[in-house]
Amino acid sequence: MTNSEIVDLLELTGRLMELHDRDTFKTRTFQTAAFNLDKSTADLANLPVDELIKLQGVGKSVAQKIREIAETGHLTDLDELLAETPSGVLDMFRIKGLGVKKVRTLWRELGIDNLRDLQLAGENGQIAKIKGFGASTQEKILAALEFLQEQQGKVRMDKAAMIANLLRDELLKHFDRVEISGQVRLKAQEVDAVQLLVQTSDPVSAMLTLGSLPNVVQNERESSPFAWRGQLNGFDVQVEILFYPAEQIDQQLFIHSAAEPHLKQAGPTGITLLQAAYTSNESTETAIYERAGLPYIVPEMREDDFAFRWASRHQNDELVTWEDLHGTLHNHSTWSDGKQSVADMAAYCRKLGLTYFGIADHSKTASYAGGLDAERVHQQQLEIDQLNAGFGNDFRIFKGIESDILGDGSLDYDDATLATFDYVVASVHQTLTMSLEKATTRLLRAIEHPYTTILGHPTGRLLLAREGYPIDHRAIIDACAEHNVIIEINASPYRLDIDWHWIEYAMQQGVMLSINPDAHDLPGLLDMHYGVAIGRKGGLTKAMTFNALTLKEMSDYLQQRREKIRNRV
């Protein structure tokens, strides 16, 4: 059991205990333990009780529960609570804005125990009549239900890649060639079908082989003699495995790794890419583009005609790669809500071959995340000075902050405090329900602030969980160009914000983009891989990638920017 799995079980236990009005003290022990252990780097599954009780928020009772989870994979208390709770009530916790008290009220007072009944109650106006709800809450519930329905059957980019790789590794035990194709190869940020191609001259035997594999369930109605369709246990996304002989698999890999608008693109001869795929003497992807008389496009950009407009001005080797990144600038540590110290995060960056690490812990308004007041900012910066003194000239920690953009667009520190940072990431974290006009005005004011260096996750979206607030992207990007503000590509697979469709416009306006992992632990730093994929999908070049600057270039840039601010302020 991983730490996150143990914490999830403890958190769910606490939530269901509150739902069922169990002993308040015992409920809080689970909730407190889950909250504190979420930041723990200890190997919870392998710690004995006498070591677990040394961790913050963990008493002997909870420690014993953790041992039960680690040894059995279950928690008896939770199993009993789940037996008393309709599965549809658990689904209601996925609705934005519905906490335990509201879910309990809907269940107990209206008898609602599934999402369908919840939707009907909202459409009939019953929810608005409940004390403490009202028309506004009812509208938000209905909007959240609609959003969830749209996301049903989808997974994020990271989960899709994990599923695809697991399946490929298993299939390669039985087949000579297996290729990941479809949306995963296109680097789609949300995936509703994980697709693989299997090379075989005997589809009947291949189908029998798939039937013997563990953890996969076939949907016989959706399958056909040349296509296995079903799911991997534990994941609500379709899996599609297609069978092709050796002489067709290269051709089909191309066809299944491009969106229909891309395949319809025709070159000077009038031959479309789809026609070229079926008529080319060679089946390699390069040969297919040559047959159509079109420039080769990398898989992640094969969406529509945008890629060809981009190719008229750029070469493929200009696209940003992981190897181009020299550092990372939006990261958190144990000073706020991160799981590792600044020193450990910096050390891991050095191990990855990066030459600078930017810390951007939460600011004072984010009290829920351990945000730093001015005194703690000073203490952290003293620690960074000490760490930097131990590095040579080949590595540096930059002093940053993720400053909250307040409701009026101002930042949540005074200028004297902001002046102590090497850079400032300005982000919205609270009051996310806004009109387009209000959200845009709020961001524009933050962009105009002289100390704003980077605009963080511009829409605040959480993929498959929360829609972003609406903004006028052109106005925001134009303002960033005017005020020399970098725009973040938040590389967390939960966000991937700014959306890749706006990368081209940002580059055209001369706005650089920073691939920021928003890392809260060591593995989170690797999320920059997803940011690179999304950047490439939008045509991001190395030249326009902020954290592709070398250590010297970044140091000089930030120093010159600070000097300009001092002269202006």
Side-chain angles (χ1 to χ4, degrees):
M1 298 288 287
T2 64
N3 279 15
S4 61
E5 289 171 333
I6 292 172
V7 169
D8 285 346
L9 291 180
L10 293 175
E11 192 275 332
L12 181 57
T13 303
R15 182 183 297 181
L16 294 184
M17 289 177 72
E18 184 178 353
L19 179 71
H20 290 280
D21 289 317
R22 297 296 166 82
D23 182 84
T24 302
F25 176 77
K26 290 182 179 179
T27 299
R28 286 179 179 168
T29 61
F30 278 95
Q31 294 171 338
T32 300
F35 177 80
N36 285 287
L37 292 177
D38 188 47
K39 295 174 62 176
S40 176
T41 58
D43 186 2
L44 300 179
N46 291 310
L47 290 181
V49 169
D50 59 348
E51 290 295 323
L52 286 167
I53 59 176
K54 296 177 182 178
L55 300 176
Q56 185 176 355
V58 179
K60 186 174 181 180
S61 175
V62 172
Q64 291 170 339
K65 303 298 183 185
I66 293 173
R67 290 308 315 147
E68 180 184 348
I69 294 171
E71 292 168 7
T72 69
H74 294 275
L75 183 58
T76 302
D77 292 358
L78 178 57
D79 290 341
E80 293 173 352
L81 288 163
L82 287 171
E84 300 175 30
T85 311
S87 60
V89 172
L90 294 175
D91 290 337
M92 288 162 63
F93 285 117
R94 298 165 57 201
I95 302 299
K96 178 185 174 184
L98 284 187
V100 175
K101 292 181 181 179
K102 280 188 165 63
V103 169
R104 183 172 58 228
T105 299
L106 290 166
W107 181 25
R108 299 301 189 191
E109 293 191 16
L110 290 187
I112 296 172
D113 62 3
N114 61 78
L115 296 182
R116 176 60 180 160
D117 287 350
L118 180 64
Q119 182 175 354
L120 289 173
E123 292 171 347
N124 294 333
Q126 292 176 277
I127 295 174
K129 298 176 183 177
I130 303 174
K131 184 179 179 180
F133 283 73
S136 176
T137 298
Q138 179 173 273
E139 290 175 8
K140 290 176 182 176
I141 289 173
L142 288 172
L145 282 167
E146 182 180 358
F147 180 75
L148 279 180
Q149 289 166 2
E150 292 173 354
Q151 312 310 313
Q152 191 171 1
K154 296 180 181 179
V155 292
R156 298 185 311 271
M157 167 190 279
D158 58 325
K159 289 282 180 64
M162 181 192 70
I163 293 169
N165 286 314
L166 282 172
L167 290 169
R168 181 182 59 185
D169 292 347
E170 183 64 32
L171 290 169
L172 282 172
K173 298 175 183 177
H174 308 277
F175 302 97
D176 291 334
R177 184 178 177 188
V178 179
E179 298 286 354
I180 296 172
S181 58
Q183 297 170 39
V184 177
R185 193 169 183 229
L186 280 167
K187 304 299 182 185
Q189 56 199 17
E190 296 173 353
V191 173
D192 59 22
V194 175
Q195 186 184 80
L196 298 96
L197 307 187
V198 169
Q199 179 180 304
T200 178
S201 58
D202 188 353
V204 174
S205 295
M207 192 69 77
L208 291 172
T209 298
L210 286 175
S212 68
L213 296 184
N215 301 319
V216 294
V217 180
Q218 183 180 11
N219 184 328
E220 295 185 4
R221 179 177 295 181
E222 295 293 328
S223 299
S224 69
F226 301 97
W228 183 99
R229 294 184 177 90
Q231 289 183 324
L232 181 67
N233 285 337
F235 296 95
D236 183 26
V237 65
Q238 178 176 275
V239 171
E240 183 177 57
I241 302 172
L242 307 178
F243 308 131
Y244 291 103
E247 62 271 17
Q248 292 182 19
I249 194 163
D250 284 330
Q251 169 200 82
Q252 293 298 325
L253 177 60
F254 170 74
I255 292 171
H256 288 288
S257 299
E260 185 177 349
H262 189 81
L263 293 173
K264 288 182 176 179
Q265 295 300 307
T269 62
I271 298 174
T272 67
L273 280 169
L274 184 59
Q275 291 169 332
Y278 282 115
T279 60
S280 178
N281 292 328
E282 294 183 50
S283 58
T284 65
E285 293 184 336
T286 302
I288 291 170
Y289 281 100
E290 289 176 352
R291 172 85 172 101
L294 291 167
Y296 176 81
I297 302 297
V298 297
E300 49 265 59
M301 292 182 73
R302 296 174 189 169
E303 293 286 353
D304 49 32
D305 62 346
F306 152 69
F308 296 105
R309 296 197 307 273
W310 183 91
S312 69
R313 301 185 300 274
H314 301 282
Q315 300 294 319
N316 286 326
D317 60 7
E318 295 178 47
L319 287 168
V320 67
T321 66
W322 170 270
E323 290 74 20
D324 292 329
L325 304 184
H326 288 281
T328 171
L329 293 169
H330 181 175
N331 307 284
H332 300 268
S333 74
T334 49
W335 279 92
S336 64
D337 62 345
K339 295 183 178 180
Q340 261 90 28
S341 66
V342 174
D344 287 344
M345 295 285 277
Y348 191 62
C349 284
R350 296 190 80 183
K351 185 177 179 180
L352 293 175
L354 302 176
T355 56
Y356 52 89
F357 168 71
I359 189 65
D361 271 311
H362 285 288
S363 57
K364 63 180 183 179
T365 301
S367 56
Y368 57 89
L372 281 64
D373 59 23
E375 176 57 30
R376 293 185 67 223
V377 165
H378 177 65
Q379 293 171 6
Q380 184 189 62
Q381 291 180 352
L382 289 176
E383 177 185 303
I384 293 171
D385 287 338
Q386 293 174 349
L387 291 169
N388 277 333
F391 299 132
N393 296 324
D394 61 344
F395 190 84
R396 180 177 172 183
I397 300 173
F398 287 112
K399 304 169 186 174
I401 196 74
E402 186 179 20
S403 182
D404 265 33
I405 300 174
L406 302 179
D408 62 357
S410 60
L411 303 186
D412 65 340
Y413 288 117
D414 58 29
D415 284 358
T417 303
L418 291 170
T420 66
F421 298 107
D422 293 320
Y423 67 98
V424 173
V425 180
S427 306
V428 171
H429 289 110
Q430 300 182 62
T431 316
L432 303 181
T433 302
M434 298 179 283
S435 66
L436 184 146
E437 181 181 4
K438 184 175 181 179
T440 301
T441 300
R442 185 177 178 182
L443 292 188
L444 287 176
R445 185 174 178 196
I447 291 166
E448 292 166 0
H449 196 295
Y451 284 102
T452 297
T453 315
I454 301 172
L455 178 63
H457 44 73
T459 74
R461 73 183 184 185
L462 292 175
L463 294 172
L464 302 181
R466 181 179 74 204
E467 285 188 285
Y469 40 81
I471 63 173
D472 183 337
H473 279 84
R474 289 182 181 273
I476 296 300
I477 291 169
D478 291 347
C480 286
E482 179 183 354
H483 296 282
N484 193 29
V485 170
I486 315 300
I487 294 180
E488 171 179 273
I489 298 178
N490 190 292
S492 166
Y494 289 85
R495 292 189 182 272
L496 300 177
D497 184 16
I498 191 170
D499 190 89
W500 67 268
H501 290 88
W502 289 101
I503 292 173
E504 180 186 31
Y505 183 73
M507 293 199 307
Q508 288 174 350
Q509 301 307 111
V511 176
M512 296 188 79
L513 296 111
S514 188
I515 297 175
N516 293 344
D518 200 353
H520 289 68
D521 53 21
L522 303 185
L525 291 163
L526 298 176
D527 284 351
M528 287 195 294
H529 282 290
Y530 304 117
V532 168
I534 287 299
R536 288 170 63 87
K537 192 172 187 66
L540 180 61
T541 62
K542 173 185 176 181
M544 293 301 292
T545 303
F546 188 52
N547 54 320
L549 295 179
T550 65
L551 172 57
K552 184 180 187 310
E553 290 169 338
M554 182 62 71
S555 299
D556 290 346
Y557 177 93
L558 295 177
Q559 177 62 32
Q560 291 167 11
R561 201 174 195 286
R562 287 196 300 275
E563 290 175 357
K564 288 181 181 179
I565 294 172
R566 280 196 290 268
N567 293 334
R568 188 169 22 162
V569 175

